[in-house]
């Protein structure tokens, strides 16, 4: 007889005949429609969007399953008397309707929290303001190379709850987790990685303190056998170490740690009681830039007890990166390299990307939807690393101002070009680029003004490069 997940059977038995609210029809919740119907739950759907903006196949399924549904601005008016509520991560548990239902006794959860609760195998969770997708994907690549059967999901758009029937105790799950998924979570992964913490999400959380409290949920519910991997260069991360119930491992690109992992130029080292030894030559990696070397170090930390250094090295060296994250869109015969970095939706991400090309001249294409970020530090980095900037969309004025401020007192000629479309931006860059230049599309802004998501924006950029260059 094969493995039987007793906790899952118990949960499914409980769901049968109980009233379940499914709030939000995003990527993580849509698969739950079939799941909840199949186990016999009495399901009601709540979605802020009007019906005409929801995929027809989803609407047809809801109707075929005879589920109640409430769409539109007042969609939560009928939320009441439910036994279990699956909230979409973007609806924070601080919502008054959810608080009321929790006080009444409803179980408030998310697809990913319930998955962690019921998953029978070891789970590695990755969160942070920057680098979590690359780090999680790299961990997955290392462990697959080591022979594990792995499942990669979470905030990367791959919900895993409906795959839980297939997962065995000997498998490993790697979850990329956002602060919105973690908020109020009552369970933590076995191994947790926090890349670094900045104020990039304060525009959605009520405060930086709320954001930090949400991130803490990735480790605060671990037991003494849990592991927490932290970027030592982040003060907030160092503070987390004090509260960690289990083992803490640090990595750093700025400090010489007596114990932990360090990025020293292009070399990653391990330190034990002050003795340091080389473990990986980062120049061999396809991934470039200090921030990516930090992601590599984090992945090595997370997998150090699960495989060998030789396997880690082999996987890291072969890893080509994640689409839309410093992805090479084209390299011309005269060594002009075009990079698609569309996922860089925050100034800190673009700032990190700009540091990936020492000794090369960079033409930056940036700009997008204005989420009220401060671009002051990015302006300094642009002046330091670029020879030319092409700006478009809502944030063009803010980015231009940050560059002009940084140029005060700097003895450097710098040109800023404004444009209205991505096509125009690529065309200008193509005319300006010279032999050996880097053309970096790293918006430092959201894409909500012109594109459905950063993936669509990145794909269109690559198509334009293919057409124009």
């Amino acid at each position: 007889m094969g493995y039987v997940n007793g906790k899952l059977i118990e949960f499914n038995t409980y769901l049968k005949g109980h009233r379940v609210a499914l709030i939000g029809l995003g990527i993580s919740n849509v698969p739950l429609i079939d799941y909840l119907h199949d186990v016999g739950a009495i399901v009601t759907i709540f979605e802020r969007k009007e019906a005409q903006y929801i995929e027809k196949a989803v609407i047809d399924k809801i109707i075929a399953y005879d589920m109640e549904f409430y769409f539109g601005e007042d969609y939560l008016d009928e939320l009441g008397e439910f036994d279990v509520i699956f909230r979409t991560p973007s609806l924070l548990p601080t919502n008054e309707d959810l608080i009321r239902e929790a006080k009444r006794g409803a179980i408030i959860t998310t697809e990913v929290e319930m998955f962690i609760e019921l998953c029978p195998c070891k789970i590695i969770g990755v969160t942070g303001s920057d680098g979590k997708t690359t780090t999680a994907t790299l961990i997955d690549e290392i462990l697959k190379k080591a022979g594990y059967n792995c499942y990669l999901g979470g905030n990367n758009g791959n919900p895993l709850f409906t795959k839980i029937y297939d997962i065995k105790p000997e498998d490993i799950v790697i979850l990329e987790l956002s602060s919105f998924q973690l908020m109020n979570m009552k369970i933590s992964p076995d191994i947790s990685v926090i890349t670094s913490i900045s104020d990039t999400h304060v525009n959605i959380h009520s405060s930086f303190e709320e954001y930090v409290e949400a991130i803490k949920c990735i480790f605060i519910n671990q037991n003494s056998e849990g592991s927490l991997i932290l970027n030592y260069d982040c003060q907030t991360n160092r503070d987390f170490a004090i509260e960690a119930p289990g083992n803490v491992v640090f990595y750093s690109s700025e400090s010489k740690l007596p114990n932990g992992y360090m990025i020293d130029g292009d070399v990653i080292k391990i330190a034990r009681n002050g003795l340091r030894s080389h473990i990986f030559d980062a120049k061999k990696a396809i991934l470039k830039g200090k921030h990516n070397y930090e992601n590599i170090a984090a992945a090595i930390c997370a997998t150090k007890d699960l495989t060998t250094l030789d396997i880690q090295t082999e996987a890291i060296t072969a890893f080509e990166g994640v689409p839309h994250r410093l992805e090479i869109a084209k390299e011309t015969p005269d060594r002009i390299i075009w990079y698609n970095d569309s996922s860089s939706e925050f100034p800190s991400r673009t700032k990190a990307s700009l540091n990936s090309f020492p000794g090369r001249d960079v033409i930056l294409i940036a700009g997008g939807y204005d989420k009220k970020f401060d671009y002051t530090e990015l302006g300094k980095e642009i002046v330091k690393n670029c020879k030319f900037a092409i700006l478009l969309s809502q944030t063009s004025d803010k980015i231009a101002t940050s560059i002009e401020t940084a140029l005060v007192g700097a003895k450097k000629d710098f040109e800023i070009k404004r444009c209205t479309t991505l096509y125009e931006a690529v065309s200008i860059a193509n005319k300006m680029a010279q032999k050996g230049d880097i053309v970096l599309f790293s918006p430092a802004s959201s894409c909500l003004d012109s594109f459905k998501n950063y993936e669509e924006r990145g794909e269109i950029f690559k198509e334009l490069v293919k057409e124009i260059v």
Side-chain angles (χ1 to χ4, degrees), residues 310-323:
D310 285 344
I311 288 176
Q312 288 176 324
T313 299
E314 187 178 351
I316 294 165
T317 304
F319 183 58
E320 296 183 351
V322 179

Side-chain angles (χ1 to χ4, degrees), residues 190-205:
D190 304 282
I191 300 172
S192 298
V193 180
I194 305 178
T195 57
S196 63
I197 302 297
S198 62
D199 60 0
T200 52
H201 291 87
V202 174
N203 61 316
I204 299 177
H205 286 281

Side-chain angles (χ1 to χ4, degrees), residues 329-330 338 426 460-469:
K330 185 167 187 175
W338 294 70
V426 173
I460 290 175
F461 172 75
K462 290 190 291 184
E463 290 171 7
L464 291 172
V465 170
K466 184 178 180 181
E467 174 188 344
I468 296 170
V469 177

Side-chain angles (χ1 to χ4, degrees), residues 12 106 117 125 134 185 219 236 250 264 276 289 327 342:
N12 290 345
E117 181 70 42
T134 298
M185 191 179 283
F219 72 87
T236 304
F250 284 115
D264 185 1
R276 301 180 180 91
E327 174 190 20
S342 179

Side-chain angles (χ1 to χ4, degrees), residues 206-275:
S206 64
S207 64
F208 182 68
E209 289 71 26
E210 181 184 277
Y211 176 47
V212 169
E213 287 300 310
I215 293 294
K216 281 169 59 174
C217 292
I218 200 171
F219 72 87
I220 205 68
N221 298 297
Q222 288 181 335
N223 57 34
S224 59
E225 296 180 356
S227 293
L228 177 60
I229 317 299
L230 295 172
N231 185 336
Y232 185 84
D233 304 329
C234 171
Q235 180 61 55
T236 304
N237 278 15
R238 295 202 294 274
D239 294 340
F240 285 155
I242 300 170
E243 300 182 71
N247 181 50
V248 174
V249 180
F250 284 115
Y251 65 94
S252 172
S253 62
E254 298 178 5
S255 300
K256 295 187 181 299
L257 303 174
N259 291 285
Y261 292 75
M262 293 167 296
I263 299 96
D264 185 1
D266 292 324
V267 176
I268 295 177
K269 303 177 180 179
I270 184 171
R272 297 186 180 96
N273 298 319
L275 297 176

Side-chain angles (χ1 to χ4, degrees), residues 303-437:
T303 57
K304 64 184 178 63
D305 297 326
L306 297 169
T307 187
T308 65
L309 179 58
D310 285 344
I311 288 176
Q312 288 176 324
T313 299
E314 187 178 351
I316 294 165
T317 304
F319 183 58
E320 296 183 351
V322 179
H324 312 296
R325 289 163 176 81
L326 281 182
E327 174 190 20
I328 295 178
K330 185 167 187 175
E331 184 169 359
T332 68
D334 51 358
R335 295 180 55 247
I336 298 172
I337 306 178
W338 294 70
Y339 281 91
N340 165 34
D341 195 38
S342 179
S343 69
S344 288
E345 298 191 285
F346 308 107
S348 61
R349 291 280 295 272
T350 296
K351 181 180 174 183
S353 295
L354 284 171
N355 281 297
S356 301
F357 313 104
R360 301 289 291 270
D361 287 328
V362 178
I363 295 173
L364 175 67
I365 301 174
Y369 179 74
D370 189 359
K371 281 193 170 183
K372 314 303 180 186
F373 295 131
D374 184 353
Y375 290 91
T376 304
E377 294 303 314
L378 178 60
K380 297 175 185 177
E381 211 67 39
I382 293 172
V383 170
K384 175 184 173 185
N385 290 287
C386 300
K387 69 172 187 178
F388 191 78
I390 304 167
L391 306 178
L392 66 162
S393 200
Q394 294 180 9
T395 56
S396 59
D397 286 341
K398 282 188 173 182
I399 299 173
T401 299
S402 74
I403 294 171
E404 290 160 358
T405 301
L407 283 169
V408 175
K411 296 179 180 179
K412 182 174 184 178
D413 292 328
F414 195 96
E415 187 175 355
I416 300 172
K417 186 74 174 179
R418 308 292 188 96
C419 56
T420 56
T421 67
L422 192 52
Y423 180 94
E424 186 183 356
V426 173
S427 299
I428 294 169
N430 187 43
K431 292 176 182 177
M432 298 298 298
Q434 298 177 338
K435 184 177 181 179
D437 282 355

